[in-house]
Amino acid sequence: MARQPRQLAGIGASDLPNQASVDAYKGPPREIVVGTETLHIQDGETPGGIPLARRSDVALKLDKTLPLAGDLLSRPAEGKIRERKSLLDFIDPALHASIADGTIASTVDLSDALAKAAAYVRAGLGRLVIPSGVYPYSVSPQWAVSMGRIDIEGEVRFRYTGTGRAFILNQGTASTTVHTYNMHVGKPSAPLIIEAGAGADHAVFAKAINHSELHFVVRGCGPNSAALYTEGGVCSNYGLVASVNESGWYQGAKPGFGWIAAGLTGEGAAGQCSYVILKDPKIEGVAKGAVLRFALGSGIVGGTIEGCSDYAIDILAGCDECIIERHDLEANGGFDIRDNGRGTRIVNCDSTAKNLSHQTTSGILIGGASVSAQIKGGRHNTVIVLAGAKGLRAMMFDIGRDGDGNMSIQGGATVYRRGVFNRQTQAFLPDLDGDASSVSASATGLSTPRILADWLKYPISLERFGCKGDFNGTTGTDNQTRLQQAIASGEQLVLPPGARYLTGAPLAVTNQAFQMTGGYRSSALVFAPGVSGGVIKQDKQENATHIENVAFLTLGQEAGTGLSVTYAAADSGSFRNDVRCNLKNITVRGVNYLQHGWDVGIETIDVHNLQMENPNVVGRRDFDADNGGRLSFGTMDLGIRNFGSSLLSIPSDGLIFNPRVANAKLGMISEGQVEGFRVLDPIIIAVWQAIEINNASERPWGRIAGGHLSPIDLGIRVINCPDMDISDILFIKGSPAGVLSDGTPGTLAIRAEKCNGIRVKRLKLQNYSTGKSAGGAWNGIELKDCQVARIAEIEHFKPTTGLKLLGTTDRCKSKEYECLSDYEGETARAEYVDLSSGTQNVRVEGNLPAGRASNAGAISVSGTVNNSVSIFVPGAEVGQRYRIDAHVQLQVGGTAGQANLFLQNDGGGAGGGFDDNASYIAERRDVAANTTQEIHLTGVYRVTARGSIVMKLGLQTLSTTGTISAGRAQMSATLL
């Protein structure tokens, strides 16, 4: 019998009534057929096709939470063996074959199906998979959602027949902005193909898409529109192919632009398209390759733009710090790159004419509005610098590659030029230190301006200003005056290795860019007793602060701050994506840590996008206090402090990597009006408290990951920080005993308050205390007023209390919280304590078997309850849930009556109840005479008080009798 090709068919079709017919059937390629035990894919030749899987290989999952269930079209049950949803699930199966082979008519409109699929993506419940094929539609839905994912399988072509935007990623409107984070569409090897006609607008429109990765091939759109139009957005990567050389333009619809990077309307500098990168694009044959209208740090890395009728890349005056790197440009009608931005970097690019008509325009045009551009490395035919361009740095590249190209500088432009080689003349161009008139050569080939420029270009030792790094541990030259002169010079300053500069005044920097580099710990500034260390106050982000490999040492005791960096609150609020402060390998401590120390190590105030790497802060250790006990570690108040002063600033996205802090009351704190704070791989030991994030108002987000914390009182405290993430940390408790919040001896690993959505996972809580009498209690995690918390994979050794829930905490799910080993002297161990008002907190153990039982011999059932079948579960903990399943096969006697089956905890010390807090659950049914009854009963028993469970299966008949054969009364317990 001839069959119509189907994507999925199984036994029961009229031509495949049994397994034998399935094994003999040869179907068209890619058709999937399901037998009784096997899954086959047809190749058009092999009888039965190619086996894919057996029933034993596949775990069926019943998805009870399908969104839009009414919208899913009926498909065979076997087609649901996957956790992701296919776009085909939303499309009439009658169209599947023509979609797959590309024969579907463009008059078919799948707009409704795509809208439903987009709604599924936006619901956030799973990935959308789009199988290979052609999908015509006239109206694009909105696809964007945070954490959304669209996977492409094979060659997927979205064929847009409408007049609007073909693929839309925008949760907001034309006048409002809603930011999207972590969106993924396709991948480099499997992009989404967009085919749109000349009547369409932009092929891909992406507004406020942040921290995302998206890959597209565009084969057509409107002549005044872009293959890719990005409006705003931060730190996203796009893959883009828009090339006439790859299958041509759909219906001849050549895009007007490859990429347009625009800003968010009405948001000023905060709305720039920021750090958005086109990675390895291929843009060929469009009118203009890329236009960066209003961008910050965005650009193109790798790839090519060729054969454009106008400029290949046009960087407009609204752009800052954009980058074009390792990019190939050739055969474009206008200049390969035209720059009118600020701080544009063109690095290792290749602008090459492929025919003589392009020789004079194959290269770079630096426009009159360009400021501080940089051309470094690469090969170019022509570089033209127009009047008005300021501060171009042209360094180490070739010109004149393809003909009579050269470097032309109009009067009034300022250029710093070094190492530019003309291939046609086989000579280096003269070096420049301003405009062309500044060139002057001596007999040796060196000019006075060049020598001075080199001297000023490179970092300068403090010794050149008369400073003396002769501090010997006790005395040295006071450098306070000459040190300030060095700072006032505005130059990059260097502390030679081993030099230690004593000063009787703070290192004061105000409203100027500042860079200081040393030889890591061997290079130091030493501050006299009572003198603060570095005091840096900046008014704007252009005045960047960079300090690397410098030690700030004090001869005082708990007097002042080692290093303080403050930026104006308005600056932080206006330029939120700029890194203005970078502190790397900074050491802050006393000259002798047993005698000297700061009160606060490092303090940053209103510093947005703070970058701090490998800071080392050590407070004074006072062995005379408390006989070397707890008080001896608390001389320094704070190791590192990050502070947001007001809602005007809200410094965010700070990163502190591998901080090392010792001997302090508090190792590290982020407080005030702060949004987003990361601490990675911290090593914080010998402190009362290790880390605190304390937001003045509810502000996301935070992350503490990796490293080792050894606190005395408290490891991590987090307040008002939703979406907090704590993971992969080793906590070590030792002696002396700390002090808990109620004043009793002990140590707490983590306390979180008002942190909705907090995630705590993969922690090891080790206890090296000799016993509770020496070390006090060792408590794990306390959550207060936290909603939807998730706790998982915790190893807690020798605990007092494991997880404690307080306040209004609700919907907290804990999984695999293991309390291991006994703590000497601990008599009140509690693994799970729920004192909250929440009603939906659960403890999940991964569906572990807890017990099974069945009757060894036959049971006679009558009006007297028989409960000889039971399961004993020792040590059930508060919050645990046990699913109890019972199955009975009852042979009813010669009289009709009723059968009664029930489950209850009878004799166990644990408190709790079944699903609705009932003390037992039961199944009662009428039974006919001389029948066999299969009776099943299941329920979930939730533990509310620690103890053992004795779950008994009660068996009873009323008005009749019955018999249960050996092994036919079965029950099991599973720890959920």
Side-chain angles (χ1 to χ4, degrees), residues 770-809:
T770 56
K772 187 175 182 181
S773 61
W778 178 218
N779 297 333
I781 302 171
E782 292 184 0
L783 302 180
K784 182 179 180 182
D785 302 332
C786 298
Q787 309 299 310
V788 199
R790 295 293 181 265
I791 315 295
E793 299 179 58
I794 313 296
E795 297 179 1
H796 190 169
F797 290 85
K798 297 193 287 187
T800 297
T801 300
L803 176 63
K804 181 183 286 189
L805 309 181
L806 303 167
T808 60
T809 296

Side-chain angles (χ1 to χ4, degrees), residues 8 24 31 320 343 456 819:
L8 187 66
E31 183 180 24
D320 297 285
L456 292 174
C819 290

Side-chain angles (χ1 to χ4, degrees), residues 125-142:
L125 297 175
R127 297 183 181 183
L128 179 69
V129 179
I130 306 180
S132 62
V134 176
Y135 299 83
Y137 64 105
S138 63
V139 179
S140 174
Q142 193 291 107

Side-chain angles (χ1 to χ4, degrees), residues 373-378 392-399 407 409 414-422 427-435 438-440 445-458:
Q374 179 184 138
I375 308 173
K376 184 176 181 180
L392 170 66
R393 286 166 290 173
M395 298 175 289
M396 296 177 292
F397 60 83
D398 291 0
I399 61 169
M407 184 170 182
I409 304 172
T414 56
V415 178
Y416 176 92
R417 183 170 68 196
R418 292 289 185 275
V420 177
F421 183 74
N422 190 325
F428 284 95
L429 299 185
D431 293 344
L432 294 178
D433 295 302
D435 58 31
S438 68
V439 178
S440 60
L446 295 175
S447 64
T448 301
R450 177 174 180 178
I451 296 171
L452 179 61
D454 284 348
W455 191 83
L456 292 174
K457 175 185 175 184
Y458 296 102

Side-chain angles (χ1 to χ4, degrees), residues 49-185:
I50 301 171
L52 291 180
R54 297 185 177 276
R55 184 179 299 276
S56 59
D57 298 330
V58 181
L60 296 178
K61 284 191 173 182
L62 180 59
D63 188 346
K64 298 181 179 179
T65 58
L66 282 176
L68 313 171
D71 294 331
L72 290 174
L73 296 168
S74 175
R75 299 181 67 201
E78 293 86 353
K80 305 302 182 183
I81 307 177
R82 60 177 177 230
E83 297 181 358
R84 304 178 296 174
K85 295 294 172 285
S86 168
L87 176 56
L88 295 176
D89 286 330
F90 303 88
I91 298 175
D92 186 345
L95 298 173
H96 290 183
S98 61
I99 289 173
D101 61 22
T103 60
I104 187 168
S106 295
T107 54
V108 175
D109 194 342
L110 301 179
S111 297
D112 288 344
L114 265 63
K116 294 171 183 177
Y120 170 77
V121 173
R122 296 195 303 272
L125 297 175
R127 297 183 181 183
L128 179 69
V129 179
I130 306 180
S132 62
V134 176
Y135 299 83
Y137 64 105
S138 63
V139 179
S140 174
Q142 193 291 107
W143 296 90
V145 65
S146 291
M147 306 303 293
R149 183 146 191 165
I150 300 175
D151 289 343
I152 306 300
E153 294 184 346
E155 183 177 283
V156 174
R157 291 185 284 163
F158 270 25
R159 180 168 293 167
Y160 180 65
T161 61
T163 58
R165 294 161 177 170
F167 192 85
I168 299 173
L169 295 161
N170 177 20
Q171 293 195 75
T173 65
S175 58
T176 63
T177 299
V178 177
H179 288 276
T180 299
Y181 295 88
N182 296 308
M183 181 80 185
H184 286 75
V185 177

